[in-house]
Amino acid sequence: MKTRLAKKIINTTAVFGNWDSNYQPYSVSQQQKALKTMKIPMSVRKTILEYGVYGKLPKEYRKYNSCAIARSMESNGMYPSNMKEYRMCMRKLLQQ
């Protein structure tokens, strides 16, 4: 992966993480490769991998506010680990 692409991936992930965008176009593995390419020190990289790597949102739920969704999932004790669980959690939240 080239440094230019890695910078673009990290910038887009930062925008998504700051809730300025509802769309995350890069997968988790692409974000991990970008961190490796940027040669970030391991102590910082572990923190970023734990808290700064985001999964993609399903297309049908991108119109909703991702910050509000994350807060409501956390308050209800929902911690989806994949797309299937995320969709089930969203169905439960929308039925309430």
Side-chain angles (χ1 to χ4, degrees):
M1 177 178 289
K2 297 189 178 196
T3 307
R4 182 174 43 107
L5 180 60
K7 285 180 183 177
K8 181 179 176 186
I9 290 172
I10 290 174
N11 185 30
T12 305
T13 304
V15 167
F16 181 80
N18 292 330
W19 311 109
D20 296 334
S21 171
N22 285 345
Y23 178 60
Q24 173 56 271
Y26 300 106
S27 67
V28 172
S29 61
Q30 286 175 315
Q31 294 173 51
Q32 292 169 343
K33 287 178 188 174
L35 289 173
K36 185 177 179 184
T37 302
M38 294 299 293
K39 297 180 180 159
I40 297 172
M42 281 304 292
S43 59
V44 177
R45 196 183 309 174
K46 286 181 183 178
T47 306
I48 293 174
L49 287 173
E50 189 172 343
Y51 299 108
V53 174
Y54 300 97
K56 292 184 176 184
L57 291 177
K59 288 182 182 179
E60 60 266 20
Y61 299 120
R62 288 183 188 156
K63 61 185 174 185
Y64 299 109
N65 184 356
S66 54
C67 185
I69 290 171
R71 273 187 265 145
S72 61
M73 280 187 180
E74 188 174 351
S75 66
N76 289 327
M78 299 176 184
Y79 301 101
S81 60
N82 56 33
M83 290 293 178
K84 185 177 180 180
E85 290 178 9
Y86 188 88
R87 284 188 174 99
M88 285 179 11
C89 292
M90 281 300 293
R91 284 189 208 115
K92 288 179 185 176
L93 287 175
L94 291 174
Q95 288 175 354
Q96 290 180 355

